[in-house]
Amino acid sequence: MASRRRSSKPTSYRTYGNVAYAPAYEGSTAPRRNQQTVRPPRPKQRPRALTRTQVQVREAGQVSLFAVMGFLAVGVLAALLMFSFSQQTVLNRELSNLRRDLAALESDHATLSAQYEKVFDLELIQQAVGDQMVRPTTDQIVYLDLSEPDNVILYGEERTGGAAGALQGFRDVLSSIAAYFH
């Protein structure tokens, strides 16, 4: 091993701004006058034989069951998404048709209401009935109190509560999901 000599003299660096230059560098690449340039002899180049590089190939590993299940799940979800888009397209078309029918029915309602108003003449009815038509009395007037919330139970249908009601509700949800996909 070659040993390096250390001089006892500290090395001083020149700076230009914030860039420090090595002490041996004096701003020129030319050697100093008192130094001789010695170039090492060039070795003779031998022609190299061309060889093909060795490529290392990794062996094929096993396919993960989790990856297969993940790809299948993504495929199923993509199919369900496409199915729901097709259903949405069909429903949008039906909704457009129903709105067109509603507009036609509303215009028909307006014309029929106008015709009804023309036909309905209270004086003509009074002449046809005579003096028999009178205003209702207070005992003939019935008032309905609709302040309570709606609660309808069909005849023969019993409401079940507790675990049986929860089970019935779960069955109803599953049947509605099955009806959605059919």
Side-chain angles (χ1 to χ4, degrees), residues 10-27:
T11 307
S12 64
Y13 290 94
R14 293 182 308 129
T15 60
Y16 179 74
N18 61 352
V19 180
Y21 293 104
Y25 183 71
E26 295 294 325

Side-chain angles (χ1 to χ4, degrees), residues 2 21 25 68 120 141 158 161 177:
Y21 293 104
Y25 183 71
V68 171
F120 180 71
I141 298 175
E158 294 181 18
I177 290 173

Side-chain angles (χ1 to χ4, degrees), residues 153-169:
I153 298 177
L154 298 176
Y155 178 73
E157 180 183 328
E158 294 181 18
R159 296 186 84 173
T160 56
L167 184 60
Q168 182 62 33

Side-chain angles (χ1 to χ4, degrees), residues 70-85:
F71 281 117
L72 286 177
V74 167
V76 167
L77 290 176
L80 287 176
L81 184 67
M82 298 267 297
F83 180 70
S84 67
F85 279 149

Side-chain angles (χ1 to χ4, degrees), residues 125-147:
I125 294 173
Q126 185 71 33
Q127 288 175 359
V129 175
D131 292 335
Q132 297 173 358
M133 192 163 88
V134 293
R135 294 204 177 268
T137 61
T138 56
D139 61 338
Q140 293 174 333
I141 298 175
V142 177
Y143 293 101
L144 294 176
D145 183 18
L146 299 177
S147 61

Side-chain angles (χ1 to χ4, degrees), residues 59-65 67-68:
E59 293 182 18
Q62 294 180 349
V63 177
S64 171
L65 179 64
V68 171

